[in-house]
Amino acid sequence: MLDSSDQYFSYWDSPYNNFNYSYVNTAVDQYKYSTLAIDRLGIGNSSHGEPLNEIQAPIEIAAIAALTKMLRDGTFPGVKQIKKVVHIGHSFGSGQTYNLVNMDPSSSDGIVLTGFSGNGSFVPVFGAGANFVQANDNQPFRLGSKIMGYSSVTNAYGALDYDAALPTPLNYPNGYLANANINSNQYNFFLPKFFDLGALVAGEQTKQPVTPGELLTLGSVPMMNAYAGPVLVITGQNDVPFCGGNCLATGDPMLASIPAAVKKSFPNAGDNFEAYIQPNTGHGLNFHYNQTGTYDVINCFLNGKGLASS
């Protein structure tokens, strides 16, 4: 959603799960930001590029940089020139945000890295938990090319759902991957007892694919970042891919949390850096009961840094 306000707020998705737009709704309705949601390449209305050598993190970062420049220059179609830009990413999107502001510190007036830390040692656990398979085989009637002769599709549990509307097949080629099933989705994104089962089912039914090219360029993040603006890292306490299931298990009594160590990567940010651990939450912050608390932390941080919508 875009309007002519002076404040602009940008979000792009994690490659492993669809983004729950309740946060965007909160930013727009409650905090009056203008927003733009940026799909990864190969998602949404994007063409399905070659999944190994084409759909990779560097080209996605370049695309985000180009879109940001258009907003600042006033050349984005149908949008008034934007004076302030805030970038917010989740998981892989946080890594893209991190790289973007390192390459061009002037590109953003503030960044929020959700579902993120600087510790990549747990990513193999995440990969094993996902048990990636061919997306077009995993959901052949949505992500593949199969069309059934009657109105029924497989639900999140793999059974036929005769009440569901027949989808238009997205026709992903071989090479695009998806997590194996609802159990792998739950393991990687959801903390038991702190989410509604309906959120898990919806997440599995609407999940988006990822490419090997993205997974292999996931770790292309520089240790030190040149950015000096406001930085908030907010991660669920029980995040699997970036904390191994416990963000407080630092092994260092002087370190408050694993995401807090990201401060060392932003030597120019100083007091503009903050790390926050959201309790009773897994990697998918938007899918848990206390998601509104997450949104309040993010927006209060931005407001406190002079980035409230004007």
Side-chain angles (χ1 to χ4, degrees):
M1 181 174 182
L2 294 166
D3 61 27
S4 59
S5 74
D6 292 335
Q7 188 71 25
Y8 178 79
F9 163 92
S10 173
Y11 188 98
W12 52 91
D13 202 359
S14 155
Y16 313 112
N17 234 81
N18 70 303
F19 174 55
N20 184 318
Y21 281 93
S22 55
Y23 180 43
V24 171
N25 292 339
T26 299
V28 172
D29 298 336
Q30 184 174 344
Y31 292 93
K32 308 306 178 184
Y33 288 99
S34 299
T35 67
L36 174 67
I38 304 173
D39 285 325
R40 292 177 296 108
L41 298 180
I43 303 300
N45 292 326
S46 297
S47 59
H48 302 155
E50 198 280 321
L52 180 60
N53 297 309
E54 184 176 1
I55 308 299
Q56 298 183 355
I59 191 172
E60 291 179 325
I61 296 166
I64 296 165
L67 290 172
T68 301
K69 185 176 185 300
M70 291 171 66
L71 289 165
R72 289 195 180 277
D73 293 346
T75 57
F76 197 102
V79 180
K80 177 185 175 182
Q81 185 176 12
I82 302 299
K83 295 181 180 179
K84 292 183 180 180
V85 178
V86 174
H87 290 87
I88 298 184
H90 177 70
S91 191
F92 185 50
S94 290
Q96 292 175 321
T97 306
Y98 184 102
N99 276 286
L100 173 71
V101 297
N102 181 61
M103 293 188 303
D104 180 9
S106 67
S107 62
S108 190
D109 294 285
I111 64 172
V112 180
L113 310 176
T114 78
F116 184 77
S117 81
N119 189 331
S121 63
F122 305 110
V123 173
V125 177
F126 178 86
N131 190 21
F132 289 116
V133 296
Q134 294 281 358
N136 55 15
D137 285 335
N138 184 253
Q139 290 189 352
F141 305 110
R142 188 175 77 88
L143 301 178
S145 58
K146 292 186 178 181
I147 300 176
M148 299 187 70
Y150 48 93
S151 182
S152 63
V153 296
T154 54
N155 62 22
Y157 301 100
L160 288 178
D161 182 355
Y162 291 96
D163 296 323
L166 186 65
T168 301
L170 296 176
N171 197 26
Y172 277 98
N174 290 338
Y176 281 79
L177 307 176
N179 62 280
N181 51 48
I182 196 170
N183 296 317
S184 61
N185 204 332
Q186 185 268 305
Y187 176 80
N188 278 334
F189 287 91
F190 294 78
L191 179 63
K193 300 181 181 180
F194 296 99
F195 66 89
D196 188 285
L197 180 59
L200 174 58
V201 172
E204 179 65 14
Q205 288 177 327
T206 60
K207 65 186 179 183
Q208 303 296 329
V210 61
T211 71
E214 289 174 309
L215 294 174
L216 291 172
T217 55
L218 177 64
S220 56
V221 178
M223 181 63 69
M224 304 305 291
N225 198 299
Y227 188 65
V231 180
L232 171 64
V233 179
I234 179 167
T235 303
Q237 181 176 341
N238 301 95
D239 187 286
V240 170
F242 288 99
C243 293
N246 186 353
C247 285
L248 302 181
T250 64
D252 181 355
M254 302 301 294
L255 185 63
S257 69
I258 294 174
V262 177
K263 182 175 184 179
K264 298 178 182 178
S265 297
F266 288 94
N268 299 325
D271 292 339
N272 274 329
F273 180 90
E274 182 177 331
Y276 181 85
I277 303 301
Q278 182 68 3
N280 300 328
T281 303
H283 185 56
L285 289 91
N286 297 288
F287 295 110
H288 292 77
Y289 289 132
N290 59 0
Q291 59 177 255
T292 55
T294 302
Y295 307 156
D296 286 342
V297 170
I298 294 173
N299 286 286
C300 287
F301 172 83
L302 295 176
N303 290 356
K305 297 299 180 180
L307 296 171
S309 180
S310 57

